[in-house]
Amino acid sequence: MAEYKAFYRAVVSSRPPHERLFYDPYAEAFLSPGLRCLLWLLKQPLLYPLINWCMEKRYPGRFATTAACTRLVDDLIMSCIERHQVKQVVILGAGYDCRAHRLPAAAAVQFVEVDYPQRQTLKRQVLQQLPQPPMTLVDYIPMDLATQMPGDVLPLQLQRAHYHTLFIWEDIHRVFPGNNSDKMFGYFQRFPEGTRFIFTYAAKNPGMFIDAMPVTRLLQEHPNDRNYDQAPARFREFLEAYDLQLEQFTGAETYRRLYYGKRADHMKGYKWYNVAMASVKVKTIES
């Protein structure tokens, strides 16, 4: 999954500057030979329309939705850094995400990436072997997402109030299997008020949408006690159980229109993928 997401970012980044929603110069470095070959074909002006049409037939809406979702998360991160004085960004299940190296405001904050140690080792090796390795320093915290608990691995220093921490947790329906997901939300409760979170996740009942079969299989292959409803009110209610408040909820149709304009009216599929932003509630002193 980490490699496929890097592939989507590489495809978007290969488009002409006036067409692409963002630019990730590092994504291509993480691709296998097969995906690099496909990317090369997509870079050919005469072949791109045909290959893109074929991929759209098989996975309707995936590329446009993934691109718009990535851009929305980028913009939310930048907004949190500028408006809420965020000084620490923690990415859970970071994969081959390179926001620490490509976002304009990255140099002003400390990025912390949490992921499987083997993946982190490979990622660091790939970045270090580039002709121009990125200069931004990142704190890598190895964690077996399937077996370890965040409170046992992540240092207490992350919880300091003056950091104004922002968590990025994409694909919350699959990163932490079983009860680990609930324990992660319980861990969030320990952070100071104002700590912020950006989540992306699949709807609880994707069967109502076109192209629902791939995500249904995904949820079956990666069972989680929590699958999340698409309705903002239901997700708000879920967050409140962990002393978190929903600040923003954006469905795929909304953020596709935000970045594609009227072209989004003709986009099919992937309507089940949502983006939400939340924060730790103000702590009250009980008498």
Side-chain angles (χ1 to χ4, degrees), residues 93-112:
Y96 301 138
D97 181 287
C98 287
R99 287 187 170 100
H101 309 302
R102 65 178 180 82
L103 290 183
V109 300
Q110 179 61 46
F111 275 78
V112 180

Side-chain angles (χ1 to χ4, degrees), residues 20 54 71 126 148 158:
R20 61 193 182 211
C54 293
R71 172 61 183 272
V126 169
Q148 292 181 296
L158 293 183

Side-chain angles (χ1 to χ4, degrees), residues 77 80-89 108-109 163-166 196:
I77 293 173
C80 286
I81 292 174
E82 294 170 2
R83 296 177 56 191
H84 303 292
Q85 293 77 51
V86 165
K87 298 181 179 66
Q88 176 176 255
V89 178
V109 300
Y163 285 154
H164 300 282
T165 301
L166 168 66
R196 283 175 164 75

Side-chain angles (χ1 to χ4, degrees), residues 208-220:
M208 69 183 75
F209 300 117
I210 184 175
D211 81 328
M213 188 58 67
V215 73
T216 301
R217 284 200 302 266
L218 178 67
L219 295 175
Q220 291 173 345

Side-chain angles (χ1 to χ4, degrees), residues 229-249:
D229 198 290
Q230 89 192 54
R234 302 292 287 274
F235 193 60
R236 179 181 289 109
E237 182 180 341
F238 168 78
L239 292 173
E240 287 178 349
Y242 296 95
D243 295 327
L244 306 179
Q245 58 187 3
L246 183 64
E247 295 190 352
Q248 180 175 326
F249 180 95

Side-chain angles (χ1 to χ4, degrees), residues 39 63 82 99 132 154 164 198 211 239 269 287:
L39 177 64
F63 271 94
E82 294 170 2
R99 287 187 170 100
Q132 294 183 326
L154 305 184
H164 300 282
I198 298 173
D211 81 328
L239 292 173
S287 56

Side-chain angles (χ1 to χ4, degrees), residues 1-12 22 24 27-28 30-31 35 62-63 66-67 69-70 92-97 99 168-175 200 270 273:
M1 182 59 69
E3 185 180 352
Y4 279 116
K5 293 179 75 172
F7 173 68
Y8 300 145
R9 293 194 299 271
V11 171
V12 174
F22 59 85
D24 184 347
E28 185 174 352
F30 297 101
L31 303 184
L35 288 179
R62 174 171 291 190
F63 271 94
T66 301
C69 180
T70 300
L92 301 172
Y96 301 138
D97 181 287
R99 287 187 170 100
I168 312 298
W169 184 3
E170 298 190 77
D171 298 326
I172 65 176
H173 54 280
R174 68 179 300 275
V175 173
T200 69
Y270 249 68
Y273 203 68

